[in-house]
Amino acid sequence: MNVTIIGAGLGGLVLARVLHVHGIAATVYEAEASPAARKQGGLLDIHENTGQVALEAAGLTDGFRGLILEGHEATRILDRDGSVLYDEPDDGTGGRPEVPRGELRQLLLDSLPDGTVHWGHKVTGVRALGGGRHEVTFAGGATVTTTLLVGADGAWSKVRPLLSDAEPEYIGRSYVETFLYDSDTRYPAAAKAVGGGALLAPAPGKGIQAHREKGGTLHTYVALTEPVEWFGDFTDAAAAVERTAREFEGWAPELTALITDGDTAPVLRPLHTLPVEHRWDRVPGVTLVGDAAHLATPNGEGANLAMLDGAELGKALAAHDDVETALAEFERAMFPRSAESAADGNELHELLFGDDSPRGLLAMFAPEGQ
């Protein structure tokens, strides 16, 4: 079996690792020049029935446990005036421990044989050759031919068009990403507002979400429901900050500081999704995992589902001599699983940013009588 994986994100790496555990070689091609080419995001909460299942299949549970940041499962909901509406400490009994995404990715990379990942290979095109074989072309003109091609290449997948005409569509909402460093010393009011884990301060059409990371770093996503053109040119960082902060005029200063006092230039993150029920007819020799298959509204499940996809695909390939049988089995399970999660994500965003926010969100976290 000649397995070619496009993309060295968590889904592609879990797939390569599970295949390795079962004695099946795979080659991963990644556009980035090296593992350190860019920051790999913030914290991930790894869920019991998805991400943790995948890491167990990869034989990496002990390594994963060593990355957990104790106390970071705490959650608090604040009103726009800074008053605490809900506060749940991390008592160690939660099922979604937090780990740094970059460290988890490195754990997966270290678990693979040397040379498994080929860095600096940006895909420019793919084409079917017949009989389940495909050719992948990289920037510079190099090509590879494979009998099993897996697109783990994210939202703007180059592999997806082999299977589906669907393209990501903007949902009408974007995040503005900011960082505050050494917050306990430099920004004590903001640090106190965020607490030890996650902060949610939602309102109709907007909100501030933050998470405490290592070293007192506060990692913030500011949500605004606006056309993507509204956000303008983010090359002018000061103007972007001012435009974003203006939408939170009158909010508590410890919350707006997460926008105005950022230690890095703000980054615009427009949110795109594929159709909730995205699926395709079986095409020989190719499939998708993660966001390439089911890009959805963010709800904490994206990375977890990508890892589970990789693990389930790897196990199916190991269990069946016939590749097409394995791919069909994998896709039959993935389609409803990802559709359910995507629908849940849409419901969560309605609770966060709909007309009834934050009351609906509070009802979800603290049902009546609790």
Side-chain angles (χ1 to χ4, degrees):
M1 191 186 303
N2 175 16
V3 184
T4 298
I5 302 167
I6 306 301
L10 298 180
L13 293 177
V14 167
L15 171 58
R17 169 63 184 178
V18 172
L19 291 173
H20 173 63
V21 167
H22 289 279
I24 301 172
T27 305
V28 182
Y29 293 95
E30 169 56 48
E32 293 177 358
S34 74
R38 65 178 177 87
K39 180 177 172 60
Q40 293 298 311
L43 297 187
L44 290 175
D45 50 329
I46 308 302
H47 303 171
E48 286 180 311
N49 60 345
T50 50
Q52 292 183 46
V53 172
L55 292 168
E56 182 178 359
L60 297 174
T61 296
D62 288 344
F64 151 69
R65 292 290 177 192
L67 301 179
I68 292 173
L69 299 181
E70 301 295 340
H72 285 253
E73 279 191 82
T75 302
R76 36 183 20 207
I77 301 174
L78 268 62
D79 207 346
R80 64 181 68 200
D81 64 1
S83 59
V84 178
L85 303 176
Y86 176 83
D87 194 356
E88 180 181 2
D90 181 357
D91 61 3
T93 63
R96 298 184 170 193
E98 302 277 354
V99 301
R101 186 186 189 112
E103 294 182 18
L104 181 60
R105 188 197 196 201
Q106 192 61 52
L107 174 69
L108 286 161
L109 288 170
D110 291 343
S111 74
L112 296 171
D114 290 344
T116 297
V117 181
H118 293 225
W119 302 96
H121 282 68
K122 182 179 181 179
V123 175
T124 57
V126 294
R127 67 186 182 105
L129 301 177
R133 298 168 63 248
H134 292 85
E135 180 185 78
V136 181
T137 302
F138 302 101
T143 63
V144 296
T145 300
T146 181
T147 56
L148 176 51
L149 177 63
V150 181
D153 49 342
W156 307 102
S157 172
K158 295 291 188 180
V159 180
R160 188 191 300 123
L162 293 170
L163 295 161
S164 167
D165 293 331
E167 296 183 356
E169 294 187 359
Y170 181 59
I171 71 168
R173 182 173 300 119
S174 292
Y175 286 157
V176 177
E177 184 181 22
T178 68
F179 290 87
L180 272 65
Y181 299 130
D182 192 19
S183 63
D184 294 304
T185 301
R186 301 173 60 218
Y187 311 102
K192 182 179 179 181
V194 173
L199 159 74
L200 301 171
K206 67 183 73 174
I208 298 173
Q209 305 171 71
H211 212 137
R212 176 181 290 270
E213 298 182 358
K214 280 186 172 181
T217 293
L218 302 182
H219 186 181
T220 301
Y221 286 102
V222 181
L224 286 169
T225 306
E226 298 286 355
V228 72
E229 296 80 13
W230 179 92
F231 292 90
D233 183 6
F234 263 57
T235 58
D236 185 341
V241 167
E242 192 278 331
R243 185 166 52 250
T244 302
R246 191 187 312 138
E247 298 302 306
F248 296 87
E249 185 175 350
W251 285 47
E254 62 268 30
L255 295 177
T256 57
L258 295 165
I259 306 170
T260 59
D261 294 354
D263 289 315
T264 60
V267 177
L268 181 64
R269 306 287 188 193
L271 302 181
H272 293 78
T273 65
L274 290 167
V276 168
E277 297 284 349
H278 182 234
R279 57 186 63 204
W280 54 85
D281 294 330
R282 175 92 292 282
V283 174
V286 59
T287 193
L288 306 171
V289 300
D291 283 351
H294 44 75
L295 179 68
T297 306
N299 66 342
E301 288 287 2
N304 283 279
L305 285 183
M307 290 191 290
L308 185 61
D309 287 349
E312 294 298 300
L313 177 56
K315 290 191 294 183
L317 290 168
H320 297 283
D321 292 332
D322 180 67
V323 170
E324 288 307 304
T325 299
L327 297 183
E329 177 183 283
F330 162 70
E331 290 175 355
R332 276 196 304 270
M334 178 185 66
F335 291 147
R337 178 175 67 228
S338 59
E340 180 181 4
S341 177
D344 287 345
N346 289 343
E347 291 177 9
L348 175 61
H349 270 237
E350 179 61 26
L351 293 175
L352 282 166
F353 310 117
D355 293 340
D356 194 40
S357 178
R359 289 184 294 272
L361 186 68
L362 286 168
M364 182 187 78
F365 274 92
E368 187 174 355
Q370 295 186 21

